[in-house]
Amino acid sequence: MRINGLPPESRRDELTRYVNHSHTARVEDLADVFGVSSMTIHRDLDVLASEGRLERIRGGARAITARLAERDVRLRRHLNAHIKKQLANTAAQLIEPGSVIALDDSTTVGELGPHLESRRPSTVITHSLALMNSVATHPGIALVGLGGQYYAETDSFLGSVVVEQAQRLTADAVFVSTTAIKNQSLLHPDAEAALTKQALLKTGGRKILIIDSSKFEGSGLYHVMGLEEFDDIVIDKQLAPELLANLESLQLNIHLADTSPKD
């Protein structure tokens, strides 16, 4: 396969897809595929690595894996980005105009940011610094930022101070995501993140989970909450039929998002 004559941004998008598909790729092979010099590929890979879309390795690049991305929000924002956007498109319809909503620091929930102006909640509660910055640009939406110890790897505030602040608040709806679901429970690998999600969930009358099907049967050390305690789940249509049947048995409101790639 050869892909020639693309402008830089388009070439980098295609280069990212190529490496994600092949998992690893050498500079020389990429130069041949895209019909450019090795120096151009080196520059492209440096840009993509700085954006967190690929990982630089000696002589080439490799795809960002879920395990690696869990450690760095910059990487997580690019992992399954298309799926996250489509899930957010569906979840945004659950935001009632004039409501008070709480949003966690997950990159999936973070994709609700661009929808806030059109959905017009009265107030947003969040511990995500990225979402705080997004909400701050909308003067018609009040912002309640939960502060505490800042963690660059999640771009958010976590820990006991955040938990204490959340315990004094009430929201009409709370939107969360997590890294894994197993045995009909939300799991997370980080203790402070799990506690913060629990506290945020307790602020909401309506609990809404946004998650892609790849998170099912994953692993996580700390329990967040059982699925049966949620009111709604937004998930992609690729969920296995037997897992969908399990969700239906919990009598949740299930919202299926079409995450198939668009032509």
Side-chain angles (χ1 to χ4, degrees):
M1 178 182 69
R2 293 184 63 85
I3 307 172
N4 297 323
L6 294 177
E9 287 301 319
S10 297
R11 183 178 65 247
R12 288 168 189 159
D13 288 342
E14 291 300 323
L15 196 155
T16 302
R17 293 190 185 95
Y18 183 93
V19 175
N20 283 337
H21 178 74
S22 59
H23 303 297
T24 62
R26 294 179 55 80
V27 168
E28 294 79 5
D29 295 334
L30 292 170
D32 182 58
V33 168
F34 289 91
V36 295
S37 69
S38 294
M39 186 61 68
T40 296
I41 293 296
H42 275 293
R43 286 195 295 266
D44 284 346
L45 294 181
D46 287 342
V47 170
L48 293 172
S50 71
E51 294 174 349
R53 299 169 68 181
L54 296 174
E55 183 187 7
R56 276 295 242 143
I57 59 174
R58 183 178 178 85
R62 67 183 172 194
I64 298 296
T65 64
R67 182 176 296 275
L68 175 64
E70 278 179 9
R71 300 198 301 267
D72 191 332
V73 68
R74 184 174 59 95
L75 305 183
R76 286 190 287 116
R77 284 177 178 146
H78 290 283
L79 190 67
N80 297 328
H82 168 72
I83 293 176
K84 292 173 183 177
K85 290 181 187 299
Q86 294 304 109
L87 290 170
N89 289 344
T90 300
Q93 305 310 307
L94 303 179
I95 300 175
E96 297 289 343
S99 63
V100 177
I101 62 172
L103 307 176
D104 80 353
D105 64 345
S106 63
T107 55
T108 302
V109 171
E111 290 295 336
L112 288 173
H115 297 275
L116 295 176
E117 184 175 16
S118 63
R119 297 306 301 173
R120 294 179 289 110
S122 68
T123 305
V124 172
I125 301 166
T126 188
H127 59 115
S128 162
L129 183 57
L131 278 171
M132 290 181 197
N133 290 329
S134 176
V135 175
T137 65
H138 305 307
I141 303 175
L143 169 64
V144 177
L146 304 179
Q149 178 68 44
Y150 175 74
Y151 290 82
E153 59 268 30
T154 60
D155 194 26
S156 67
F157 302 90
L158 300 170
S160 60
V161 177
V162 178
V163 170
E164 291 168 7
Q165 292 172 2
Q167 289 171 344
R168 299 196 294 268
L169 299 171
T170 301
D172 297 307
V174 55
F175 296 76
V176 304
S177 188
T178 193
T179 59
I181 292 180
K182 194 169 186 177
N183 298 326
Q184 298 187 342
S185 293
L186 273 70
L187 304 174
H188 200 279
D190 181 80
E192 289 196 319
L195 288 172
T196 305
K197 288 178 189 290
Q198 287 173 352
L200 207 64
L201 283 162
K202 291 176 182 177
T203 69
R206 186 178 184 183
K207 298 175 177 61
I208 301 166
L209 174 64
I210 313 174
I211 197 161
D212 72 78
S213 58
S214 69
K215 303 295 179 64
F216 275 75
E217 301 307 307
S219 60
L221 185 58
Y222 298 98
H223 179 269
V224 178
M225 184 171 284
L227 282 177
E228 73 280 358
E229 297 187 58
F230 282 83
D231 300 285
D232 300 79
I233 180 168
V234 179
I235 194 162
D236 57 273
K237 292 182 178 180
Q238 280 66 52
L239 184 65
E242 64 274 15
L243 295 177
L244 180 58
N246 288 339
L247 290 181
E248 291 171 340
S249 71
L250 298 175
Q251 299 184 324
L252 305 175
N253 296 313
I254 301 173
H255 310 270
L256 296 176
D258 184 5
T259 58
S260 57
K262 301 298 185 290
D263 294 331

